[in-house]
Amino acid sequence: MIEESNLSSQEQNETVDQSPQVQPTSVNEVDKSMTDAETSSDDSVIDDFEKIANRELQAIEQEIIDTKCFHWEIQDWNNLEHRCTGPMMKAGELDWNILLFPKGNNQTEFASIYLELANVKNTETDEYACAQFVICLSNLSDPTRYIVHSAQHRFTRDESDWGFTRFISLDEFHNSPNTILENNSIRVTTIIRVVRDPTGILWHNFVNYDSKKVTGYVGLQNQGATCYMNSLFQSLYFTNSFRKAVYQIPTENDEPTRSIALALQRVFYNLQFSNNAVGTTELTKSFGWDSLEAFRQHDVQEFNRVLQDNLEIKMKNTPADGAIKNLFVGRMKSYIKCINVKFESSRSEDYYDIQLNVKGCKNLEDSFKDYITEETLEGDNKYMAEGYGLQDAKKGVIFESFPPVLHLQLKRFEYDMMRDMMVKINDRHEFPTEINLEPYLSENADKSKGHKYILHGVLVHSGDLTGGHYFAFVKPGKEDKWLKFDDDRVIPATLKEVLEENYGGEQLGFPNVNVRPNGRPMNRFTNAYMLVYIRECMLDEVLAPVTEEDIPNHLSERLKSEARLREIKRKEKEEQHLYMKVLIADDDTFRANTGFDFANFDEREVSENHIHVLKIRKDQTFGQFKNEIAKGINLPTSAFRFWLMVNRQNRTVRIDVPIPEEEDNTTLDDIRSRYAINQTSLRLYLERANIFDESGSAIFRSPQESTQLILIFVKLFNPEYQRIHGIGHIYAQKEAKVSTIISTLKQMAAMDENEDVLLFEEIKANMIEPVDFNATFTQAELQDGDILCIQRKLTSEEEDDILENNGKTTVPEFLGYELGKVQICFGPLTPDADSPELRLILHKEMGYEEIAAHVARELNVDADKLRLINPYQGNKAHQKRFGGLKLGKILQNAYAFGAGNVNANRIRFLYEKLNVSLDEIESKCSVSVTVCAPTLKDLQVIEVLVPKDSDINDLKKALVAKGAKLDGDELDFIRIFDETDGKFDKEYDDKLWQEVIATNPAIKVYAEQIPKEELDMDETDSFIGVFHFQRIPSRTHSVPFKFLIKNNETLSETKKRLQARTGLDDNEWSKVKINIVSEDDENVTLIDEDKDTLFPTHSYKIGYMIGLDHIDKTIKIDKTGAIFIRG
C-alpha cells in the first residue's frame, strides 16, 4: 500500500535564504546502532513529515519546486527478495522509487536503502534532477518510532540512485527488544524535496564535466602554482579591447617559447576556439621561466605590472602602440596646499591600478573616500612653503581621470606593526556591481561623460599569507551571466557567489555552523583582492566582440595547422595498438655498412643506414605485405623473399630463417610473436633472387637444400683506404671446404685471381678470428647469416707504410679500433646562425687537440681559436683543455656524473668560437665589463683580455679602444667597480686590480664615468652606496652605485641627482620609493618626502645605504622569488 501527502502550496514555494549551497554528500556508511539512529521525537511520520523534513534536511537557499511524502507498507519483510523496488512515486513531475536491499548490498550486516530517479536511468540524455530526501523505517502501529537518514544529491544518468548502504544493523533490527519491526511488517517513508538548480551545476561532482558545453568557455591548465596567473589572464582575455591590441602586435616570424606576444596571442586564440582547457607552458617559457618558477606563487598586481610593462615595449611602433595606456592608465594628482597663504605644490602622475585600503573601510566607497582624505600638516609637522616658510597645509591625492578599464587592488595583505609580520586582512569589505566615481575627481577633471563604472571581474584569493588558491569571476558580456574561472574549470555562478561570498568577514550560515568553540563566528579566508570595473559609457567599445577578422591570419593558420597535426597524432596514438613496425634491410643496407655486424638498426639513423621502416597493421597478412613491397620495388613476389633477422646471444643481429610461402595467410603480428618473441617490431632481410631457371623464374634454396647450403655475407677490407664495407652474399655447401669459395670471393672483391688473401669471421664485436681455408664450413662453425671479411695480404713494406700513417693492417685490428669510435654531438655555447649543431664520429683515444682539430675542420675555423667545453663536471669550473683527459675517460666520467641518465648516444659537448687564440686567452685574464654610460641605465657589455701583470689603466685603455662611451683622455675619471649581491662592493685601484687578475682566469666588473659633482666635492661631503630592490632589500636588481651626499643639500635636489644617475624617466622615477637601509638589511626606513634633507642632521651610521624600491625591469632570475619576465 502506498500513501501520498502534499505540503501546502505556500510551503512548496518557500525559499530558505540562509547558508551557501552544500556540495553533494551521502551518508552511505552509517555507524549508528538502531537505538542511536532511532529518533526520540514525538513527531509522526504520518502527520508530521513537514517537521521531520525541516529538521533532517540541510537548509538551502535554492528554490524548492516540490515536496512530497510517500509511505510504503511492507507486510512480509523476511521473505523479501534480495533486491526490491518500491511503488513509483511522483514528485516534481518526476518518477521516483525506492531500491531496498533487505539483506544488504555488497555486505550482509546492514539493510541498504536507496532513492532512485527512474527518468534518468538507462537514458542517453543529460537530464538530471536535484533533490533532498529523507528515508524513514517506522513501526506500523506507532509512526513516532522510526529510523531516519537524509541526504541530498544530483540524480543523473551515471548516478541515478543515492542512499545508504548501512541504513540499519540487521542484528539489532531482528534481535533487539526495541525493534521497530512488528509482526514482520514495517513502513518505509520517503520525503522528497525537489530543488531548482539556478546555475546548472548544483551538487555537481564534476566527473566528466565539460566547461565548453555548459558555459561556452574553457579554462587554463594549472602548471603547479599558476592559478594566480590564470585568474588574471581570464580577466584580461575578457577585456576584449586588450585582446584585440595583443593580436595587433606583429609576430609572424616569432617562436612562441621566445616571444611573449606570440605566446599570449596563442593562449587567447585557444581560449576562444579550443574545446578543452588551454595550456600555458609556452607562455611561461616565453617569460624565461623554468618548471620551478611555475610552482612559485607571485603577487598578482606585481605580475600584472611586469607583464603590462613588457607588452607596452613590444607594442611600441606597432598598430597596438598606446593601447595599454588608453585602456588601463588614469591620472592622479598629489598636492600640498597651504591653508593661510596662496601656495600649492603638486605633482601629477599616471597610474595603472589603484591600491585601496580594506582595513577600516566597510565598502568600496569608504576606500575611495579614505584614499582622497586630506591630511593636515600643522604643529611640528608644518610644511616648508617656498617663499613663505613653515605653514599649516593640507596634503592629499585627487583623481584627474579614470581609465576605461579600472583595476582596483584591495590591500588584503599588510604589515602588522604589533606582530612585526605581514598578515592577510580578512575583514568584510563590500563592493557594488555599479559605482559612480565622479565624487572622487578633481574640480577641473573632464566630466562631460559619466563616470559610472560596472563590475566586470572579481579576482579572489582563498587561503592565508603562506599560500592558497586563486580564481576569478568574470561577466564576459554586458548582458551575460557571471562565470567562475577556476583553473581548467569554468562554471556558472550566482550573484551571491560573486559578491557576498567574497566580501570577507565572518562566515554566513546557519545556527551553530562555522562557529568557534567560544561561540564566535569564524572569519572567511576567501575574499576578493582585485576588482575590474569598466566605464559604463565605454562598455560597448571595450567589450566589442573579437571576430576572426581581428585575429592575424598567420596566427589562425598556424594554430589550425597545429590542430590538424595534433588530431593526426591523436588518431595515430589511438590506433597505435593496431600497428607494428617492420624494419627491412637488403643488400644495399649491407653494402652501406662500414662498421661491425650486418647493419645498424638504430631507428634514429635509418636513413643513413639504409634501413626501411614501415608502419604496418598487425592484422595484415604476410601475403598482402609482400604484394605491397613488390609494388614498391617493382618486382614480382616470386623474385624476392624475406628472412627473419634476430638477436643472437653474442649481441649481433643476423638472419635466421626464410619465411615460407605457407605463411602468406598468417598475420604479421602472429609471425612476430611466433618467430621474434621478445621483439616489439619485425626485422626482415629482403633477399633478391640472382639465379633464374630457363623460363626466367627465380630460384631460391629449397627447404630440403637448407640442410646442405648456407647463406654467407661477405665484407671487403681495404687497408690502403682504412675502410671496410659489405660486398654481397654467397651460398656455400656446408661440407665443402672454405677454400672452394675463395675464387668467387676474389671476383666479388674485384681482386686478381693470383692475389694472396686473408679471411676472417666476424663473431662478435671483440672477437674477429681468422678462418682456416682447409676446414669445411661445418668445421669452421659457419651458418646462415655469418659474415666473412676478406682482405689482401700485405707485404711487410706495405704494412710499414700503413702503420707509419697510424693505420691498421688487418681486419681484427681495424674493427678493434672501430669499436672505440663514438658519435659525439657538439653545440655552440652561444647559439647563432653561423654556429650549427655537429655530430662527429670520434675515437675514445683522442685527446683535446685532436678533437678540437676535427670540430674546427667541420666549422671551417682555426683550431687555435676554438674552445671546447665539457659540461659533465657538476659544479666545477670548466677544465682547461679537458684536464688532459682522453675522450674515453671523459665519457666514463660523464656516465658517472649523470648517474645512468646520460645516454651514450646523446653526449653533447659545447664549443665556443674565439676572436683570439686559446693560448692567448689562457695566458691572460678575461674581463667582462658592463659599461654604464651616459647613465647607469645605458648598459654596454664589453669583453676584453688583459695580461695578468697589467694595471687598471690598461683595462680602461682597452675599453676605450673597444668603443666604450667613456672619456679616454682622462683615465682617472673612469671608475671600475664591482658588486656583491646587487650592492656596491669596491672601487678598484692598481693594487686591488692586480691582486684580482693575477689569481682569476675571468672576472666581471662595471665601468662608469665619474660624475662631475664628485670632482668638485669638498671635505664636508661624503659617499654612500645606492642599490635597487623590489619590495624587500634582498631582491636586488639593476646596477648599484656610489653616490655623493652633499652637505645641507635639500631632499628635492638630492632626488634629482639620484634620478639623473639612474637614468630613469619621470614616469619610472615617480614609482621609486627611497629608503635608508642598514648594512644587514634589517632596518628599512622609508624617506618622508616632507623632510628637508636626506639626513636632516647629516649623520648616519657607517654601512647604511640608500635603497631604491621599484619594479625590476632588468628581467633577470633571482634566488629570492621576485617576479621576472624575459624582455
Side-chain angles (χ1 to χ4, degrees), residues 505-509 513-524:
E506 295 178 347
Q507 290 276 14
L508 296 182
V513 177
N514 299 320
V515 174
R516 295 187 179 93
N518 61 11
R520 293 176 56 195
M522 295 174 64
N523 270 352
R524 286 182 284 183

Side-chain angles (χ1 to χ4, degrees), residues 852-853 855-867 912-918:
V855 176
R857 191 159 46 247
E858 288 293 320
L859 294 173
N860 196 26
V861 298
D862 188 342
D864 291 336
K865 294 184 177 180
L866 188 73
R867 172 161 48 197
E912 180 183 15
K913 296 178 184 177
L914 307 173
N915 295 321
V916 296
S917 72
L918 186 57

Side-chain angles (χ1 to χ4, degrees), residues 812-827:
E813 290 175 358
F814 177 78
L815 287 179
Y817 179 79
E818 292 292 297
L819 196 60
K821 286 187 176 180
V822 289
Q823 185 178 83
I824 304 293
C825 296
F826 291 86

Side-chain angles (χ1 to χ4, degrees), residues 843-901:
H843 199 277
K844 293 179 181 179
E845 289 300 310
M846 287 184 178
Y848 179 90
E849 305 299 339
E850 200 173 352
I851 298 171
H854 278 75
V855 176
R857 191 159 46 247
E858 288 293 320
L859 294 173
N860 196 26
V861 298
D862 188 342
D864 291 336
K865 294 184 177 180
L866 188 73
R867 172 161 48 197
L868 302 182
I869 299 166
N870 171 20
Y872 305 103
Q873 301 179 103
N875 294 324
K876 298 177 184 177
H878 296 314
Q879 290 176 330
K880 180 179 176 181
R881 307 194 187 215
F882 292 172
L885 298 178
K886 291 191 174 180
L887 181 58
K889 184 63 176 176
I890 294 171
L891 296 180
Q892 184 180 334
N893 294 342
Y895 303 144
F897 167 76
N901 295 322

Side-chain angles (χ1 to χ4, degrees), residues 166-404:
R166 297 155 59 91
F167 192 94
I168 185 171
S169 167
L170 291 174
D171 180 50
E172 294 187 33
F173 185 58
H174 290 289
N175 303 321
S176 172
N178 297 319
T179 180
I180 56 175
L181 188 66
E182 179 182 10
N183 297 325
N184 201 28
S185 300
I186 203 163
R187 179 190 298 108
V188 180
T189 298
T190 307
I191 307 170
I192 304 174
R193 179 179 285 172
V194 183
V195 179
R196 189 176 305 284
D197 180 4
T199 60
I201 57 163
L202 181 64
W203 304 331
H204 206 300
N205 62 13
F206 295 106
V207 175
N208 299 322
Y209 177 76
D210 189 333
S211 295
K212 186 84 168 188
K213 185 176 180 180
V214 175
T215 67
Y217 300 100
V218 297
L220 291 166
Q221 295 170 9
N222 191 331
Q223 294 184 48
T226 54
C227 50
Y228 72 96
M229 184 179 74
N230 291 348
S231 63
L232 176 66
F233 280 135
Q234 290 286 13
S235 170
L236 293 174
Y237 170 79
F238 287 107
T239 307
N240 293 354
S241 292
F242 174 77
R243 200 188 336 162
K244 290 180 181 180
V246 170
Y247 281 145
Q248 289 179 315
I249 303 174
T251 57
E252 292 92 331
N253 302 314
D254 292 1
E255 283 300 318
T257 56
R258 302 192 64 83
S259 167
I260 295 172
L262 177 57
L264 190 56
Q265 287 176 351
R266 290 167 67 91
V267 167
F268 282 174
Y269 181 94
N270 286 326
L271 282 173
Q272 187 167 352
F273 295 104
S274 176
N275 291 321
N276 302 304
V278 177
T280 57
T281 306
E282 278 185 352
L283 186 56
T284 53
K285 281 185 178 179
S286 75
F287 296 164
W289 292 5
D290 56 18
S291 57
L292 179 63
E293 195 68 29
F295 279 87
R296 179 182 289 145
Q297 281 196 348
H298 291 298
D299 176 75
V300 174
Q301 181 202 14
E302 187 180 348
F303 173 76
N304 189 29
R305 286 301 315 120
V306 174
L307 175 68
Q308 301 275 29
D309 286 347
N310 188 286
L311 288 174
E312 275 194 289
I313 295 169
K314 298 288 188 297
M315 290 176 176
K316 288 282 186 186
N317 302 316
T318 76
D321 198 349
I324 287 179
K325 194 163 188 174
N326 294 336
L327 269 176
F328 302 109
V329 176
R331 199 157 179 83
M332 66 172 68
K333 181 177 76 171
S334 304
Y335 63 88
I336 300 177
K337 186 175 183 179
C338 293
I339 297 173
N340 300 315
V341 297
K342 193 172 183 179
F343 179 88
E344 179 177 334
S345 172
S346 65
R347 182 182 72 187
S348 293
E349 60 183 330
D350 291 341
Y351 65 86
Y352 287 78
D353 50 47
I354 303 172
Q355 295 190 54
L356 298 173
N357 284 328
V358 170
K359 200 163 189 65
C361 302
K362 68 178 183 179
N363 54 38
L364 200 61
E365 288 84 354
D366 282 357
S367 295
F368 269 103
K369 290 173 185 175
D370 173 72
Y371 198 91
I372 65 170
T373 297
E374 290 182 329
E375 175 189 356
T376 302
L377 305 179
E378 57 186 358
D380 293 338
N381 199 27
K382 285 187 177 182
Y383 174 65
M384 175 63 74
E386 189 175 345
Y388 294 95
L390 292 172
Q391 293 288 328
D392 292 341
K394 297 284 187 181
K395 177 183 177 182
V397 173
I398 194 70
F399 293 100
E400 294 181 320
S401 68
F402 290 109

Side-chain angles (χ1 to χ4, degrees), residues 901-1022:
N901 295 322
V902 177
N903 189 319
N905 296 318
R906 298 294 174 89
I907 293 292
R908 183 176 183 271
F909 293 126
L910 303 174
Y911 68 81
E912 180 183 15
K913 296 178 184 177
L914 307 173
N915 295 321
V916 296
S917 72
L918 186 57
D919 288 335
E920 185 177 355
I921 287 177
E922 291 174 346
S923 66
K924 294 183 178 182
C925 180
S926 175
V927 186
S928 177
V929 186
T930 302
V931 180
C932 312
T935 73
L936 293 163
K937 188 181 179 183
D938 306 296
L939 306 181
Q940 175 189 14
V941 178
I942 296 178
E943 307 284 344
V944 295
L945 282 173
V946 296
K948 296 204 171 186
D949 59 353
S950 62
D951 60 25
I952 196 72
N953 279 344
D954 291 331
L955 174 63
K956 295 176 181 178
K957 290 174 185 175
L959 290 175
V960 173
K962 284 214 168 188
K965 299 173 184 177
L966 299 168
D967 185 357
D969 296 330
E970 295 289 350
L971 296 180
D972 290 342
F973 297 165
I974 297 175
R975 172 181 289 132
I976 306 295
F977 65 98
D978 65 13
E979 53 89 11
T980 300
D981 295 331
K983 296 170 184 174
F984 189 93
D985 184 22
K986 56 182 172 290
E987 182 175 351
Y988 286 100
D989 56 18
D990 264 341
K991 183 181 178 182
L992 276 176
W993 181 248
Q994 288 171 355
E995 287 176 359
V996 170
I997 64 169
T999 56
N1000 290 285
I1003 57 174
K1004 292 183 178 182
V1005 294
Y1006 294 86
E1008 68 165 342
Q1009 197 77 43
I1010 295 177
K1012 186 176 183 302
E1013 62 195 33
E1014 293 186 23
L1015 306 178
D1016 300 331
M1017 66 181 290
D1018 59 37
E1019 65 276 3
T1020 63
D1021 298 335
S1022 57

Side-chain angles (χ1 to χ4, degrees), residues 766-779:
N766 57 355
M767 186 182 289
I768 314 295
E769 295 189 346
V771 178
D772 183 357
F773 288 10
N774 292 317
T776 66
F777 285 95
T778 300
Q779 290 169 340

Side-chain angles (χ1 to χ4, degrees), residues 368-599:
F368 269 103
K369 290 173 185 175
D370 173 72
Y371 198 91
I372 65 170
T373 297
E374 290 182 329
E375 175 189 356
T376 302
L377 305 179
E378 57 186 358
D380 293 338
N381 199 27
K382 285 187 177 182
Y383 174 65
M384 175 63 74
E386 189 175 345
Y388 294 95
L390 292 172
Q391 293 288 328
D392 292 341
K394 297 284 187 181
K395 177 183 177 182
V397 173
I398 194 70
F399 293 100
E400 294 181 320
S401 68
F402 290 109
V405 181
L406 182 61
H407 284 175
L408 302 178
Q409 304 289 341
L410 303 183
K411 294 168 71 173
R412 288 285 180 186
F413 298 94
E414 287 190 353
Y415 181 74
D416 188 319
M417 296 288 290
M418 299 297 292
R419 298 162 67 183
D420 190 25
M421 62 182 293
M422 292 293 291
V423 296
K424 184 180 179 186
I425 309 299
N426 289 305
D427 297 359
R428 183 177 178 84
H429 184 271
E430 300 176 7
F431 49 90
T433 56
E434 300 178 0
I435 185 170
N436 181 16
L437 298 181
E438 204 156 289
Y440 314 108
L441 283 169
S442 67
E443 295 178 357
N444 300 324
D446 181 4
K447 300 177 184 176
S448 57
K449 294 182 179 179
H451 284 82
K452 182 179 178 183
Y453 277 76
I454 308 299
L455 185 65
H456 176 66
V458 179
L459 278 63
V460 178
H461 177 260
S462 178
D464 57 20
L465 185 70
T466 59
H469 182 58
Y470 294 82
F471 52 89
F473 292 94
V474 180
K475 188 178 181 183
K478 189 164 65 171
E479 304 301 329
D480 290 337
K481 294 182 178 180
W482 285 93
L483 299 173
K484 179 181 179 181
F485 293 83
D486 190 352
D487 286 335
D488 56 357
R489 183 182 297 161
V490 186
I491 60 176
T494 63
L495 191 59
K496 179 177 181 292
E497 289 177 276
V498 177
L499 301 178
E500 179 61 50
E501 293 185 9
N502 295 303
Y503 287 158
E506 295 178 347
Q507 290 276 14
L508 296 182
F510 302 97
N512 302 319
V513 177
N514 299 320
V515 174
R516 295 187 179 93
N518 61 11
R520 293 176 56 195
M522 295 174 64
N523 270 352
R524 286 182 284 183
F525 295 96
T526 298
N527 35 55
Y529 69 93
M530 178 175 165
L531 306 174
V532 181
Y533 282 89
I534 299 178
R535 197 171 175 181
E536 186 181 45
C537 62
M538 301 189 73
L539 264 176
D540 292 335
E541 180 182 339
V542 172
L543 299 182
V546 179
T547 64
E548 294 212 33
E549 286 70 33
D550 297 309
I551 302 170
N553 286 332
H554 75 87
L555 179 68
S556 55
E557 288 303 317
R558 187 171 178 175
L559 286 166
K560 286 175 183 177
S561 174
E562 290 175 7
R564 286 191 293 269
L565 288 174
R566 280 197 303 273
E567 178 58 25
I568 291 171
K569 287 182 178 179
R570 184 200 63 77
K571 192 171 182 181
E572 286 179 349
K573 189 174 182 180
E574 194 176 82
E575 297 177 348
Q576 188 174 352
H577 66 287
L578 302 175
Y579 291 85
M580 62 184 290
K581 283 183 181 177
V582 178
L583 283 70
I584 301 176
D586 59 10
D587 288 334
D588 290 338
T589 310
F590 182 63
R591 292 189 188 99
N593 184 17
T594 57
F596 179 75
D597 212 348
F598 185 94

